[in-house]
Amino acid sequence: FLNRESITLYEANLLEEQMKGDSTKCPVSLRPALENANALVICTGTTAFPTKAWTKSESNSGVAGDVIKALVDNSFDVKKAISALDEQGFNTPNNIDALSNLYLVNAWKDACKVPRKRLIMLSSIGVQRRDQMPFPILNACGVLDAKAKGEAAIQAAAEKDGFSYTIIRPGQLFGGPYDNNYYLGTLFQLDKDAKTQDVEVAVGDTLVGDTLRSTLAEVTAQICEGDFARDMDFA
């Protein structure tokens, strides 16, 4: 992306921006990206379990010490420990998949000067099956709970403000690029051969399996270009 003249990169630390004050206002750095955006694709996310992705900045070495301290301080109650990390501003599932997703929806509303038409959120399989194995394991630190909150916020905003939404629930992401070593799929450079690259979709949250990043990107682009899958969710 950085080498394409047609693409401009705008960046913002979403947690820092929210802590500054009004969480309904768009940060200055994102206004040029959102003010003329008829559609918005939200693909923010963090890891299901504590990794370097949870750190407050890329310069930090990791979160192992912070996680252990939070567990000790909260008598090894996992939910309370995670809540403590939430309050300290780490990139936890609740702070990213729930609060930051809502923040982006609010920022879009505040900044956009043209009619808002489409919002697409990349979520995860298992959000509607959090009590069915193996998803309780994946949800041990609340990542599926957080994504469920993010989905609900988007659906509520779409109904209130009159734009269409689409929620896509991919499985474990496979394939390149491999420059993010916080995930198993990128750490081990997992990919699929040509025989296993078929695509299966279903309304709701009923499928299991893995998803190629390139396939997910293509599906998302086709939804935007073809104006498909309005006001629905699928895996």
Side-chain angles (χ1 to χ4, degrees):
F1 289 125
L2 295 178
N3 296 322
R4 297 183 183 179
E5 295 182 358
S6 60
I7 295 176
T8 303
L9 179 64
Y10 299 94
E11 296 182 278
N13 186 317
L14 300 181
L15 291 185
E16 286 186 1
E17 293 293 343
Q18 291 176 74
M19 292 176 182
K20 288 180 180 179
D22 192 345
S23 61
T24 66
K25 298 297 183 182
C26 180
V28 174
S29 60
L30 294 184
R31 281 193 178 275
L34 297 177
E35 60 185 5
N36 292 307
N38 291 117
L40 177 66
V41 178
I42 296 180
C43 51
T44 54
T46 190
T47 50
F49 303 101
T51 67
K52 190 177 179 180
W54 283 29
T55 56
K56 297 180 182 180
S57 69
E58 293 183 0
S59 61
N60 291 342
S61 59
V63 294
D66 300 289
V67 171
I68 293 172
K69 183 178 186 305
L71 286 167
V72 171
D73 291 346
N74 290 278
S75 303
F76 290 90
D77 185 310
V78 174
K79 288 187 176 180
K80 290 182 179 179
I82 298 299
S83 294
L85 295 173
D86 291 341
E87 295 175 359
Q88 294 173 49
F90 285 91
N91 291 325
T92 57
N94 186 65
N95 283 346
I96 302 302
D97 292 286
L99 297 181
S100 291
N101 280 355
L102 175 59
Y103 179 58
L104 285 173
V105 175
N106 290 336
W108 186 37
K109 180 177 181 178
D110 179 58
C112 194
K113 299 178 180 178
V114 297
R116 289 175 295 147
K117 297 180 180 180
R118 296 295 302 271
L119 193 155
I120 299 172
M121 174 186 174
L122 306 188
S123 184
S124 171
I125 59 171
V127 168
Q128 296 182 339
R129 295 174 284 170
R130 302 194 295 279
D131 58 346
Q132 302 176 31
M133 290 297 292
F135 299 111
I137 298 173
L138 181 63
N139 195 40
C141 295
V143 67
L144 296 180
D145 292 332
K147 288 183 182 296
K149 292 178 183 177
E151 289 185 9
I154 285 169
Q155 290 172 311
E159 181 177 357
K160 179 181 178 181
D161 295 340
F163 58 81
S164 296
Y165 73 89
T166 305
I167 295 171
I168 306 175
R169 299 193 180 101
Q172 167 70 28
L173 296 178
F174 273 42
Y178 300 112
D179 55 356
N180 180 350
N181 289 327
Y182 304 148
Y183 297 86
L184 289 176
T186 52
L187 182 63
F188 296 103
Q189 297 193 7
L190 300 178
D191 205 344
K192 292 179 177 290
D193 57 40
K195 295 181 180 179
T196 58
Q197 290 185 1
D198 291 341
V199 179
E200 183 180 4
V201 297
V203 174
D205 182 18
T206 59
L207 299 180
V208 294
D210 308 309
T211 305
L212 280 173
R213 285 181 172 83
S214 57
T215 300
L216 179 58
E218 179 66 21
V219 169
T220 303
Q222 290 294 334
I223 287 174
C224 290
E225 293 177 7
D227 200 21
F228 304 130
R230 284 179 169 271
D231 302 322
M232 66 177 296
D233 55 280
F234 66 90

